[in-house]
């Protein structure tokens, strides 16, 4: 039988250190990264529930507002937004799902790596550990899944709401079990979470099947702009400042939009051109379905990212950006 990245240790040293730190301290500040996602937010809320059941105090502070789809999460009213800070001093800080220190944004002004006792819990491959103590597992789908294994290993008090939060962390970070971080281990952990009474259909309806009318009106404009080049290998959408102004929306609501041109059958590259708030600048977000390294492509323009997903901020109009990027990508595609 194939034994993959399942936790094997009888003695999980990092977990014991975290457990000891919780036992020795009483008041915790909890935070995560800017551009808050489901894993970050739900990990914060789940950990808070467990700490409170242990009789500890815990306060969540983030720089960003939680996206609207998470408005149903139990305990959400406890989440504070910078510059609001806890009413009391804390003696421990949890940084969850952070990736790297600078992703904490403005909270770095209130939290000090030198003075504070920092407990870093993360699954990012890029992380080097920025805590006084760290519990890091790059082989696991999400920080939420790592927290579940920690709670289980340490016999910490779980309940249905904690299970729900960890479930949301996992389904969002795995793209509903569709990204390559989804493993048999993930499904086994999720099966256990469901045994606490998690309602998968309800959660899916709340997280993935709700959009504001304004957001859909913006999407309608994006769809109306959908175009392909002469041979259909490149597809793109365009949104201008007036599209945001007239629908009362912001760029925060467009995170998934680039997936639409990318999904066109025959398209090798999907692109989203967006006029930025800063006048005379255009954001070019690109996704690749082929072996064209978009990070390498973006670098000469001062952009970057990953091989399959990269972005560039360009000076000039949308038409200037189209005139530069489309022919340059056609040339690159011809080389494949
Ligand atoms: Mn994550």
């Amino acid at each position: 039988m194939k034994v993959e990245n399942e936790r094997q240790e009888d003695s999980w040293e990092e977990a014991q250190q975290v457990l000891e730190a919780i036992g020795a301290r009483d008041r915790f500040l909890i935070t995560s990264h800017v551009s808050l996602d489901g894993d970050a937010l739900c990990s914060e809320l789940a950990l808070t529930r467990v700490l409170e059941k242990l009789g500890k105090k815990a306060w969540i502070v983030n720089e960003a507002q939680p996206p609207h789809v998470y408005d149903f999460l139990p305990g959400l009213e406890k989440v504070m937004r910078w510059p609001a800070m806890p009413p009391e001093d804390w003696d421990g800080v949890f940084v969850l799902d952070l990736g790297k220190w600078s992703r904490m944004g403005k909270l770095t002004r209130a939290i000090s790596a030198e003075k504070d006792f920092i407990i870093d819990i993360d699954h990012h491959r890029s992380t080097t550990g920025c805590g006084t103590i760290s519990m890091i597992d790059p082989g696991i789908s999400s920080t939420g899944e790592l927290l579940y294994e920690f709670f289980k290993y340490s016999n910490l008090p779980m309940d249905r709401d904690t299970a729900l939060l960890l479930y949301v962390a996992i389904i969002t970070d795995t793209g509903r079990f569709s990204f390559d971080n989804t493993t048999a281990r993930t499904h086994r952990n999720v099966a256990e979470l469901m045994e606490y009474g998690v309602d998968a259909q309800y959660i899916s309806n709340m997280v993935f099947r709700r959009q504001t009318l304004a957001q859909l009106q913006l999407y309608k404009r994006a769809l109306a702009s959908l175009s392909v080049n002469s041979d259909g290998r490149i597809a793109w959408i365009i949104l201008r400042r007036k599209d945001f102004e007239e629908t009362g929306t912001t760029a925060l609501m467009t995170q998934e939009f680039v997936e639409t041109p990318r999904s066109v059958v025959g398209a090798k590259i999907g692109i989203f051109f967006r006029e930025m708030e800063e006048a005379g600048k255009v954001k070019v977000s690109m996704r690749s379905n082929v072996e064209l390294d978009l990070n390498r492509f973006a670098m000469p323009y001062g952009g970057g990212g990953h091989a399959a997903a990269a972005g560039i901020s360009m000076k000039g109009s949308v038409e200037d950006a189209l005139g530069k990027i489309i022919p340059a990508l056609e040339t690159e595609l011809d080389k494949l």
Side-chain angles (χ1 to χ4, degrees), residues 1 18 46 51 153 188 219 255 257 265 296 301 314:
M1 189 186 126
V18 174
L51 291 172
Y153 174 87
R188 275 191 282 272
Y219 184 59
Q255 282 180 10
F257 281 19
V265 172
R296 201 171 46 78
Y301 301 94
M314 298 182 86

Side-chain angles (χ1 to χ4, degrees), residues 66-71 205-221 243-244 247-255 257:
H68 76 93
V69 294
Y70 300 115
D71 59 7
N205 287 343
M206 297 307 268
V207 178
F208 300 114
R209 301 197 180 99
R210 286 192 303 154
Q211 295 178 77
T212 63
L213 186 59
Q215 186 177 15
L216 282 169
Q217 279 163 342
L218 184 70
Y219 184 59
K220 202 163 86 176
R221 290 171 181 237
D243 294 316
F244 292 97
T247 54
T249 51
T250 68
L252 271 179
M253 297 180 177
T254 63
Q255 282 180 10
F257 281 19

Side-chain angles (χ1 to χ4, degrees), residues 20 26 29 88 112 134 158 166 193 201 226-227 266 324 331:
E20 274 169 38
D26 292 312
L29 175 64
E88 295 172 38
S112 150
S134 300
M158 285 281 302
L166 297 173
L193 290 173
Q201 185 185 32
L226 179 66
S227 310
K324 280 183 192 142
T331 305

Side-chain angles (χ1 to χ4, degrees), residues 33 37 39-40 97 122-124 141-143 173:
H33 52 79
D37 60 17
D39 186 27
D97 199 48
D122 203 350
H123 72 118
H124 284 97
S141 73
S142 52
T143 299
D173 247 32

Side-chain angles (χ1 to χ4, degrees), residues 6-194:
E6 211 80 40
R7 194 164 296 290
Q8 299 291 332
E9 314 101 294
D10 294 326
S11 142
W12 181 8
E13 205 176 309
E14 292 175 327
Q16 278 163 358
Q17 281 183 358
V18 174
L19 195 61
E20 274 169 38
I22 291 173
R25 286 152 206 282
D26 292 312
R27 299 176 312 278
F28 296 94
L29 175 64
I30 303 177
T31 191
S32 184
H33 52 79
V34 288
S35 63
L36 208 56
D37 60 17
D39 186 27
L41 180 62
C42 292
S43 294
E44 292 176 333
L45 289 165
L47 178 63
T48 299
R49 287 187 72 79
V50 169
L51 291 172
E52 285 178 349
K53 281 184 188 247
L54 295 172
K56 309 286 176 177
K57 286 189 177 175
W59 300 278
I60 303 169
V61 184
N62 294 311
E63 181 184 324
Q65 176 126 31
H68 76 93
V69 294
Y70 300 115
D71 59 7
F72 71 102
L73 294 177
L76 192 69
E77 69 285 351
K78 290 182 195 152
V79 178
M80 285 181 276
R81 194 173 172 199
W82 168 270
M85 286 301 277
E88 295 172 38
D89 256 349
W90 54 88
D91 57 10
V93 177
F94 279 96
V95 294
L96 306 179
D97 199 48
L98 195 60
K100 61 179 179 196
W101 188 257
S102 60
R103 289 222 304 159
M104 217 190 295
K106 290 175 183 149
L107 266 293
T108 54
R109 296 180 201 171
I111 299 166
S112 150
E114 287 79 43
K115 288 192 198 126
D116 282 306
F117 187 93
I118 292 172
I119 306 160
D120 176 23
I121 301 180
D122 203 350
H123 72 118
H124 284 97
R125 215 162 283 275
S126 56
T127 194
T128 48
C130 44
T132 317
I133 57 173
S134 300
M135 183 164 70
I136 291 160
D137 185 349
I140 204 161
S141 73
S142 52
T143 299
E145 191 183 352
L146 180 56
L147 278 177
Y148 174 60
E149 290 195 356
F150 167 63
F151 296 158
K152 186 176 145 183
Y153 174 87
S154 312
N155 287 312
L156 294 176
M158 285 281 302
D159 63 13
R160 194 178 69 164
D161 278 352
T162 306
L164 178 153
L165 291 162
L166 297 173
Y167 180 89
V168 176
I170 296 168
I171 50 165
T172 52
D173 247 32
T174 58
R176 301 188 238 184
F177 309 118
S178 71
F179 299 153
D180 70 352
N181 60 355
T182 309
T183 62
R185 173 190 186 184
T186 312
H187 283 287
R188 275 191 282 272
N189 281 325
V190 164
E192 292 177 15
L193 290 173
M194 290 193 77

